[in-house]
Amino acid sequence: MMDHNLKNNDVSIIPHEVWPADWLRGAEKEAADALGLTLYELMQRAGEAAFRIASTHYSDSSHWLVLCGHGNNGGDGYVVARLAQGAGISVTLLALESDKPLPEEAESARAAWLDAGGTIHSAGAPWPQGVDLIIDGLLGTGLNAAPRAPVARLIDHINQHPAPVVALDVPSGLSAQTGAAPGAVVSADHTVTFIALKPGLLTGRGRDFTGQIHHHALGLEPWLNARRAPIMRYDASQLAQWLKPRRATAHKGDNGRLVVIGGDRGTAGAIRMTGEAALRAGAGLVRVLTHKENIAPLLSARPELMVHELTPERLSQSLEWADVVAIGPGLGQGNWGKQALQKVENFRGPMVWDADALNLLAINPDKRQNRIITPHPGEAARLLNSSVTQVESDRLLAAQALVKRYGGGVVLKGAGSVVADEQGLAGIIDAGNPGMASGGMGDVLTGIIAALLAQKLPFWQALCAGCVAHGAAADELALRYGQRGMLASDLFTVLYRFVNPDVK
């Protein structure tokens, strides 16, 4: 995962509030008017912020290529170009042409560039030799379709060039609202986003293209702070507010009784990882109900688990005993698993459903307030009777659709996992990396969330904290050893650090 926490960012740490890109386009003028600013003043501030970051990170660069589109994103580019030229940097500026006039503030920025002695070349002009930094100001946050051929060719040229790229507000071609990439997209080394974070920078394909994210609110903080963001970004810095130190007199009963159900023939590994993850995340007592052939291997591998054969009688007794239930890993879709799920449906406490429990739920949908479901995009597509492509084209919308249909809480897993609940809360998990693309990671997540529920964390906090701790543990491993070869069970060696955030 790219480091989005920006330890070297001289403008600001990126915020936890995330605002819809569609809403921001309309709200920008309202915010400026409320604070007595003009849109041109905001454009000046945006260009100054981007220039400062570009010149700081690439202080040795001497020839910048600035690409300007026919909108306010291009206007930001004109400001960057003027400031760079004023600082003694050689600047080549290419601009898209259009029959339509530029927005007023972008036209003002263009005129200021020309007044400063700048030259504007057509977008199809040859690129000069010696370019050592590219500023992407082609397309802004309004993109909702694949870039057309002239722009797509420019994007391809940018991506093939060896110079690093700084994108203004959003990499051109990326949907700022959804993180979808319907066509060619600029692969940036740094993205300087303005006013507020947009969802598409944090989830979906956005993770492939943004590089390091920087943020500048352009002085609109007072206006934004007076409003509640509809989406939150969650990361490891927030774990301490959710996971408080235990009382000195706490005992295992205080930390919850959890039943984990699954592991048909040949899938002992899945249910073992869920059970151990629950223990590692702090559940007091974890009982595993599984196929009888799995009992000896599980007890041998992790004797702290209480392991029993899944029978109707044992299940009934366990549901009376349990505070929380997790079901699905290795459950299968045969009668053995179906019968267990049918009985679990009536459990009144918090539940986590994953894997085959979700596949069975897709066949017989129902809505429950006490359940968290944790689908990956393929499972989400089955649950919504849609396609993976549709789910991935708007992950926030898909998560909200899952909540509407199934109730409770949802984790739509993937790059920038999306969380949502029935109360209208929504968030993006800013933790995790591609090393997690291996078998068993979802089983571990199920165990962590269930364990936090068992420790009496409120529903939404358990959902968010579980996802963050899971991803942050994987990030710690990636930092130490790299991403390739990461195993789901490797997370157990570092999970302590994140479920005990008070320990430094």
Side-chain angles (χ1 to χ4, degrees):
M1 183 184 82
M2 296 294 182
D3 178 9
H4 292 305
N5 292 319
L6 306 184
K7 295 173 184 174
N8 298 315
N9 184 357
D10 63 349
V11 177
S12 67
I13 301 298
I14 64 172
H16 286 106
E17 296 79 13
V18 181
W19 296 86
D22 300 338
W23 178 84
L24 279 170
R25 283 193 297 275
E28 181 179 7
K29 188 174 188 312
E30 181 185 344
D33 289 346
L35 297 175
L37 300 168
T38 67
L39 291 178
Y40 185 55
E41 285 175 311
L42 294 186
M43 183 171 286
Q44 293 283 95
R45 293 179 180 187
E48 290 166 2
F51 169 71
R52 186 160 58 249
I53 288 168
S55 58
T56 297
H57 285 271
Y58 300 103
S59 57
D60 293 335
S61 61
S62 59
H63 190 171
W64 292 14
L65 177 69
V66 182
L67 297 158
C68 294
H70 201 75
N72 284 335
N73 196 243
D76 299 336
Y78 285 115
V79 176
V80 172
R82 177 173 54 80
L83 293 171
Q85 183 170 271
I89 297 167
S90 177
V91 177
T92 300
L93 188 146
L94 275 59
L96 296 174
E97 299 173 352
S98 175
D99 295 332
K100 298 179 180 179
L102 280 170
E104 181 181 349
E105 51 274 14
E107 179 58 45
S108 296
R110 179 181 182 275
W113 163 247
L114 292 172
D115 290 344
T119 301
I120 299 175
H121 302 276
S122 71
W127 289 19
Q129 298 292 319
V131 167
D132 50 13
L133 183 65
I134 297 172
I135 305 296
D136 165 30
L138 287 172
L139 302 174
T141 61
L143 178 90
N144 54 22
R148 295 180 181 178
V151 179
R153 284 195 295 271
L154 280 174
I155 291 173
D156 288 340
H157 199 167
I158 291 170
N159 291 339
Q160 291 165 13
H161 198 280
V165 179
V166 175
L168 305 180
D169 214 7
V170 62
S172 293
L174 180 71
S175 168
Q177 177 61 28
T178 67
V185 183
V186 167
S187 183
D189 296 276
H190 295 265
T191 296
V192 188
T193 199
F194 308 122
I195 301 178
L197 286 183
K198 293 85 179 172
L201 300 174
L202 301 171
T203 192
R205 295 292 306 281
R207 299 266 179 162
D208 287 336
F209 301 111
T210 58
Q212 187 177 15
I213 298 174
H214 307 256
H215 166 258
H216 199 296
L218 310 184
L220 300 183
E221 294 94 336
W223 190 86
L224 286 169
N225 292 340
R227 287 151 181 81
R228 180 182 174 185
I231 308 161
M232 295 297 292
R233 179 181 70 88
Y234 295 115
D235 65 11
S237 71
Q238 292 154 296
L239 287 172
Q241 72 188 46
W242 295 319
L243 301 174
K244 304 297 183 183
R246 289 178 172 175
R247 292 181 296 106
T249 56
H251 56 81
K252 61 188 178 184
D254 293 333
N255 298 319
R257 298 185 297 271
L258 170 63
V259 171
V260 180
I261 303 164
D264 200 353
R265 284 188 176 92
T267 58
I271 204 65
R272 179 264 169 105
M273 283 188 286
T274 300
E276 180 164 353
L279 289 172
R280 300 285 187 176
L285 295 165
V286 180
R287 179 180 293 181
V288 176
L289 302 185
T290 187
H291 194 277
K292 60 182 179 182
E293 71 180 30
N294 298 332
I295 295 174
L298 263 62
L299 286 173
S300 176
R302 183 50 57 211
E304 295 88 348
L305 293 169
M306 300 180 288
V307 187
H308 305 279
E309 181 182 358
L310 174 58
T311 64
E313 296 77 16
R314 178 65 72 174
L315 179 56
S316 295
Q317 188 273 330
S318 295
L319 293 177
E320 292 179 4
W321 172 83
D323 298 314
V324 176
V325 169
I327 186 168
L331 187 69
Q333 298 181 52
N335 288 333
W336 185 81
K338 285 180 181 178
Q339 290 170 5
L341 190 62
Q342 287 168 359
K343 199 154 192 174
V344 167
E345 286 176 350
N346 298 316
F347 183 71
R348 298 296 183 183
M351 297 187 288
V352 184
W353 289 25
D354 186 30
D356 282 319
L358 301 180
N359 294 322
L360 293 171
L361 178 62
I363 297 169
N364 294 297
D366 66 15
K367 190 170 184 177
R368 297 182 185 278
Q369 294 180 326
N370 62 328
R371 177 179 59 201
I372 291 172
I373 60 174
T374 63
H376 58 57
E379 291 162 342
R382 288 190 286 276
L383 288 164
L384 294 172
N385 194 28
S386 64
S387 67
V388 173
T389 300
Q390 287 175 299
V391 169
E392 292 287 72
S393 69
D394 193 333
R395 290 169 53 78
L396 274 162
L397 186 65
Q400 290 159 350
L402 287 165
V403 166
K404 185 176 180 179
R405 181 172 296 189
Y406 294 99
V410 170
V411 183
L412 177 55
K413 295 181 289 196
S417 292
V418 175
V419 292
D421 78 351
E422 278 189 299
Q423 311 308 314
L425 296 173
I428 299 172
I429 305 301
D430 196 8
N433 62 78
M436 301 173 78
S438 62
M441 285 290 177
D443 304 323
V444 170
L445 176 62
T446 295
I448 296 172
I449 295 173
L452 297 181
L453 288 169
Q455 292 167 79
K456 308 299 187 296
L457 261 72
F459 201 75
W460 181 249
Q461 291 183 17
L463 175 58
C464 297
C467 291
V468 169
H470 181 246
D475 287 341
E476 177 71 16
L477 288 171
L479 187 64
R480 292 184 189 180
Y481 309 114
Q483 296 174 358
R484 288 188 179 89
M486 186 186 300
L487 303 181
S489 56
D490 291 341
L491 269 63
F492 301 149
T493 63
V494 294
L495 187 58
Y496 304 102
R497 173 181 172 185
F498 300 99
V499 295
N500 296 287
D502 55 304
V503 178
K504 303 300 182 184

